[in-house]
Amino acid sequence: MSEPFSVRVTVRGYETDVQGHLNQAVYINYAEHARWSLLQAAGITQAGLIGRGIGPVALETTIRYKRELLAGDEVDVTCAFTWGRGKTFRIEQTIRKADGTVAAELTAVGGLLDLKERRMVTDPQDYFKELASNPALFGL
């Protein structure tokens, strides 16, 4: 299996709490940034999704904090999709310091929402295959 998609982020001082740790909510922002970066790298834009009448939705996110992150730390945020049957998919993400130390692991469950019907679409991987110029980035 190839390495998962990854983006580098530098922890900014204003993202930290009074202990100097990266604020817990920012981990979700980093994960979301990596997901949208993957979509863009695969050739999928927000305008393309809206034009098709669908939008990604987050249904569940679990974060396991492993090590602290401080202002100035550089981290790589990975993103790997796992497909099953039905309306949802999983996204496994790791936030890893530049030295290789795992700072956090995130697991998300998502889907695609039909923007007109306001219901989840069946088989979202079919939409990703259709819209992506590089569906291999999604493991498709």
Side-chain angles (χ1 to χ4, degrees):
M1 184 171 151
S2 63
E3 290 294 313
F5 180 85
S6 181
V7 296
R8 179 150 289 188
V9 177
T10 301
V11 176
R12 295 164 288 258
Y14 62 83
E15 297 173 324
T16 60
D17 59 22
V18 299
Q19 292 92 305
H21 301 140
L22 183 66
N23 179 279
Q24 52 88 24
V26 179
Y27 286 83
I28 293 173
N29 289 338
Y30 286 5
E32 186 76 3
H33 173 66
R35 291 192 293 264
W36 279 105
S37 295
L38 171 56
L39 288 171
Q40 183 179 14
I44 298 176
T45 63
Q46 280 184 316
L49 291 166
I50 292 168
R52 184 65 171 82
I54 55 173
V57 292
L59 302 170
E60 174 184 312
T61 302
T62 302
I63 306 171
R64 287 171 299 285
Y65 301 98
K66 303 286 189 172
R67 294 287 184 271
E68 67 183 356
L69 290 176
L70 306 172
D73 284 345
E74 288 191 342
V75 296
D76 294 308
V77 186
T78 65
C79 187
F81 280 65
T82 303
W83 306 96
R85 298 184 190 266
K87 298 179 179 184
T88 63
F89 49 84
R90 288 194 168 284
I91 307 169
E92 299 291 335
Q93 297 184 265
T94 302
I95 299 176
R96 189 181 315 271
K97 293 181 177 187
D99 69 3
T101 303
V102 174
E105 297 169 332
L106 294 89
T107 302
V109 176
L112 289 177
L113 182 69
D114 180 309
L115 299 175
K116 182 178 178 188
E117 299 295 323
R118 309 309 290 179
R119 295 189 179 277
M120 303 290 287
V121 303
T122 304
D123 299 321
Q125 68 273 18
D126 293 343
Y127 290 83
F128 282 97
K129 285 180 195 174
E130 175 190 325
L131 291 168
S133 59
N134 186 2
L137 288 174
F138 297 105
L140 299 171

